[in-house]
């Protein structure tokens, strides 16, 4: 007897339809799975047999062959268990043959028949809709997420017995509903920070235009503290951004159900991270931190401690907003549009340029070499942080996230209007052509920039970078045109980093 069921394999960030075919014929009892299965898929044999028998159904004492088509696509993970079990039940006449038509089936099985969560429910639901399927059966944990895909009947289940009940046309559980948006986690607020008016202003500029930011200063002045407060002033995710973030995080196994997210991701990997941990990799490519930070913030604390190959690997993601991973026969393209925020001490002891610094020239040189030059060159705002004075620490904080966020939102609205339909989401994403058409530079501003350029403090690329930051500063000031003050403020935020980059190159 032949039977088949539809399920999906995760391939990069997409889901690909997999048809589970089963052939049951007379012969010595056996159970084989073919179609490029990895070890967890092959082990499905034991889970499926156990789940079927322990749920009170029969496992055919015949020659059973399961094929996962297309045979050329690598199948990985335990998500195929439930679909395989369903085909066994159909092929052995325990479930009507038409029951699986139009349904996608996804889930891992326990030996007792429990249906367990698997990563990627949202991507699978999107794939099921695209493939023209009407419904999807999957574990409860993923059902809320899958229900975000409109036009698909999503049935959440907990056990194999429940699945059989549904397939036999018995009582169906109510279709899964979209869960209310997850409440934004309590975020640390800028109101905790005393002093640092310039740093907070630079963070607001960075958030408003999506610019990359480097905080540099001695130990204990609040670099980490400030960087962790950046998400609190970023605009909320749009619906399509949120779906993309959820799809990525679900495939990475970082979430279990829940409604639409609104907070932007904030990823702060430890500096021991490898290049593939940062940008993605593995024999079946999985996304790295750069992709988990897509539409959010990638925070590299203690930048100079990161291994240089890891930092070098970030160049393509930073430049192109995506990274291509090739492993064996598989190629995956992962999106990586994040804001890079980095923090570092200015020298190995951390006290330069004060008199307390005990570093030698050689120490300095080593420290600079450890910061990747090409990476520094992609940072728009270099912000030195000094120790706050005793008075500043005693005074009340100078701002709060609510206030800065309001300014960021207004500046983003201006950018949205100006950049609508161009493909750039914010000023930092403008390419050279967009920069030329959308900058609206006043002649006085141009004079100021040309002066800085002639003085030799700027490379041509750094000049473009300063122009983008100047555009953001003008947006924060509510100005259609970029004036002299905006240009000078932008230069103030970055001429230093150019010098550092030159020293490193
Ligand atoms: N400006 C400040 N306002 C309020 N608290 C501060 C400030 N600066 C530092 N602190 C306090 O000091 C702690 C340490 O700051 P933080 O970890 O951000 O320092 P850092 O600059 O990252 O140091 P390191 O270079 O050692 O990593 C903070 O958690 C906070 O309690
Ligand atoms: Mg720190």
């Amino acid at each position: 007897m032949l039977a088949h069921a539809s399920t999906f394999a995760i391939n990069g960030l997409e889901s690909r339809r997999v048809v589970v075919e089963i052939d049951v014929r007379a012969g010595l009892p056996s159970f084989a799975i073919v179609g490029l299965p990895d070890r967890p898929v092959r082990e499905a044999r034991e889970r499926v047999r156990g789940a079927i028998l322990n749920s009170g159904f029969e496992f055919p004492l015949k020659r059973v062959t399961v094929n996962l088509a297309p045979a050329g696509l690598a199948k990985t993970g335990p998500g195929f268990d439930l679909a395989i079990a369903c085909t066994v039940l159909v092929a052995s006449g325990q479930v009507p043959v038409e029951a699986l038509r139009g349904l996608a089936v996804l889930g891992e099985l326990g030996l007792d028949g429990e249906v367990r969560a698997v990563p990627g429910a949202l991507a699978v639901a999107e794939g099921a809709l695209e493939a023209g399927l009407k419904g999807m059966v999957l574990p409860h944990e993923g059902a809320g997420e899958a229900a975000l895909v409109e036009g698909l009947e999503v049935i959440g289940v907990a056990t194999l017995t429940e699945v059989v009940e549904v397939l036999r046309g018995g009582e169906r559980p109510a279709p899964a509903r979209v869960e209310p948006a997850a409440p934004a986690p309590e975020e640390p607020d800028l109101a905790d920070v005393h002093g640092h008016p310039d740093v907070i202003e630079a963070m607001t500029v960075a958030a408003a235009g999506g610019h990359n930011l480097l905080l540099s200063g001695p130990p204990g002045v609040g670099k980490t503290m400030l960087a962790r407060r950046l998400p609190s002033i970023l605009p909320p995710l749009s619906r399509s951004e949120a779906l993309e973030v959820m799809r990525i995080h679900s495939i990475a196994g970082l979430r279990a159900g829940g409604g639409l997210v609104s907070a932007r991701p904030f990823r702060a990997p430890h500096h021991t991270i490898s290049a593939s941990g940062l940008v993605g990799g593995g024999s079946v490519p999985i996304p790295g931190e750069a992709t988990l930070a897509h539409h959010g913030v990638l925070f590299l604390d203690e930048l100079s401690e990161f291994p240089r190959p890891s930092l070098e690997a970030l160049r393509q993601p930073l430049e192109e907003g995506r990274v291509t991973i090739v492993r064996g026969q598989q190629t995956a393209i992962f999106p990586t549009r994040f804001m890079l925020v980095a923090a570092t001490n200015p020298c190995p002891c951390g006290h330069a340029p004060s008199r307390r610094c005990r570093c030698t020239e050689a120490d300095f040189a080593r420290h600079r070499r450890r910061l990747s030059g090409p990476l520094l060159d992609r940072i728009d705002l270099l912000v030195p942080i000094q120790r706050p004075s005793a008075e500043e620490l005693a005074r009340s904080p100078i701002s709060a996230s609510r206030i800065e966020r309001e300014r960021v939102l207004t500046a983003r609205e201006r950018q949205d209007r100006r950049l609508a339909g161009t493909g750039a989401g914010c000023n930092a994403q403008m390419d050279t052509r967009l920069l030329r058409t959308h900058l609206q530079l006043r002649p006085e501003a141009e004079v100021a920039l040309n002066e800085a350029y002639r003085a030799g403090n700027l490379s041509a690329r750094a000049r473009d970078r300063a122009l983008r930051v100047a555009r953001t500063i003008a947006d924060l000031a509510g100005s259609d045109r970029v004036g002299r003050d905006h240009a000078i403020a932008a230069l103030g935020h970055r001429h230093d980093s150019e010098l550092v980059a030159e020293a490193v190159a």
Side-chain angles (χ1 to χ4, degrees):
M1 164 107 188
L2 271 167
H4 61 259
S6 286
T7 186
F8 286 80
I10 300 293
N11 188 232
L13 295 181
E14 307 286 316
S15 62
R16 296 254 321 256
R17 189 176 183 175
V18 169
V19 176
V20 183
E21 300 169 336
I22 191 168
D23 179 41
V24 179
R25 61 181 62 223
L28 276 181
S30 67
F31 187 10
I33 297 179
V34 297
L36 226 54
D38 71 350
R39 199 166 161 167
V41 181
R42 279 200 301 272
E43 288 174 353
R45 288 181 304 188
E46 307 309 322
R47 289 189 299 272
V48 167
R49 198 198 312 265
I52 287 181
L53 293 173
N54 289 326
S55 303
F57 305 111
E58 278 168 32
F59 195 92
L61 286 171
K62 293 185 180 172
R63 218 177 118 87
V64 179
T65 310
V66 167
N67 178 35
L68 305 175
L73 176 73
K75 320 294 182 312
T76 174
F80 303 96
D81 292 3
L82 187 58
I84 294 172
C86 288
T87 55
V88 171
L89 293 169
V90 169
S92 55
Q94 302 175 80
V95 166
V97 69
E98 64 282 355
L100 289 172
R101 209 163 288 149
L103 270 191
V105 182
L106 179 78
E108 175 183 335
L109 281 173
L111 290 176
D112 57 354
E114 186 195 356
V115 181
R116 293 183 181 146
V118 291
L122 182 55
V124 171
E126 286 171 338
L129 187 73
E130 226 164 83
L133 300 177
K134 292 193 303 290
M136 174 166 171
V137 176
L138 81 169
H140 275 303
E141 288 88 338
E145 187 181 306
L148 287 164
V149 176
E150 283 160 16
L152 194 72
E153 187 190 5
V154 174
I155 305 167
V157 292
T159 63
L160 183 62
T161 313
E162 256 181 73
V163 178
V164 171
E165 178 76 15
V166 169
L167 295 179
R168 283 177 175 167
E171 199 185 330
R172 287 196 170 203
R177 292 228 201 94
V178 178
E179 289 166 33
E186 193 58 39
E187 274 172 341
D189 197 289
L190 281 176
D192 305 328
V193 179
H194 294 262
H196 296 319
D198 300 348
V199 186
I200 291 177
E201 185 59 28
M203 281 176 61
T204 302
V205 172
H211 303 287
N212 299 330
L213 175 78
L214 173 67
L215 305 171
S216 163
V221 291
K223 298 184 295 296
T224 304
M225 181 186 194
L226 281 154
R228 290 198 172 274
R229 281 156 179 76
L230 186 65
S232 70
I233 61 172
L234 287 173
L237 290 167
S238 69
R239 184 181 160 86
S240 66
E241 287 173 336
L243 284 173
E244 214 180 342
V245 167
M246 283 180 73
R247 169 146 44 92
I248 294 167
H249 286 224
S250 162
I251 285 173
L254 290 180
R255 41 177 302 116
L260 208 59
V261 290
S262 62
R264 290 185 182 265
F266 181 86
R267 304 292 303 178
H270 188 254
H271 59 68
T272 49
I273 191 167
S274 67
S276 61
L278 204 49
V279 299
S283 54
V284 175
I286 53 164
E289 290 293 332
T291 298
L292 297 175
H294 184 53
H295 291 314
V297 176
L298 179 66
F299 175 41
L300 303 184
D301 205 357
E302 314 290 352
L303 183 66
S304 60
E305 302 295 325
F306 279 76
R308 196 164 164 131
S310 303
L311 296 184
E312 294 285 340
L314 274 178
R315 287 165 63 176
Q316 188 202 11
L318 274 170
E319 203 66 20
E320 296 176 14
R322 64 199 183 129
V323 61
T324 310
I325 308 284
V326 183
R327 287 287 187 284
Q329 293 167 335
Q330 289 205 43
T331 301
I333 296 175
F334 296 130
T336 56
R337 282 215 162 167
F338 54 81
M339 251 176 93
L340 176 68
V341 179
T344 182
N345 292 333
C347 64
C349 81
H351 293 292
S354 91
R355 269 177 296 128
R356 285 176 64 194
C357 177
R358 291 281 170 267
C359 296
T360 62
E361 238 353 274
D363 292 335
F364 266 109
R366 204 168 349 98
H367 184 74
R368 288 207 204 99
R369 260 199 309 279
R370 301 209 66 168
L371 302 176
S372 148
L375 194 66
L376 273 186
D377 213 28
R378 284 168 179 81
I379 286 178
D380 302 335
L381 299 154
L382 180 114
V383 186
I385 307 190
Q386 267 93 40
R387 227 157 56 97
S389 65
E391 294 75 40
E392 279 177 323
L393 284 183
R395 248 181 271 138
S396 52
I398 59 158
S399 191
S401 295
R402 188 178 38 78
I403 299 168
E404 301 303 324
R405 190 174 203 227
E406 212 46 57
R407 296 177 61 206
V408 168
L409 289 178
T410 316
R412 285 266 176 146
E413 274 165 27
R414 298 184 73 87
Q415 293 169 58
D416 288 346
R417 277 200 297 276
R418 193 169 54 237
L419 297 172
T422 63
C426 54
N427 288 338
Q429 291 170 8
M430 290 193 287
D431 59 19
T432 329
R433 191 181 52 80
L434 281 178
L435 196 58
R436 227 176 295 127
T437 46
H438 289 80
L439 186 63
Q440 306 189 39
L441 196 63
R442 280 184 183 281
E444 318 81 270
E446 189 151 12
V447 170
L449 277 159
N450 288 345
E451 274 168 17
Y453 190 74
R454 277 200 210 95
N457 283 346
L458 242 56
S459 70
R461 184 200 270 155
R463 183 175 184 275
D464 276 3
R465 208 141 261 137
L467 287 173
R468 289 191 191 95
V469 175
R471 181 60 266 174
T472 302
I473 293 172
D475 282 331
L476 277 168
S479 164
D480 284 337
R481 304 190 65 188
V482 176
R484 187 180 158 81
D485 292 352
H486 308 139
I488 289 175
L491 286 169
H493 281 308
R494 106 138 258 131
H495 69 279
D496 240 351
S497 63
E498 188 57 23
L499 293 181
V500 178
E502 267 168 17
V504 178

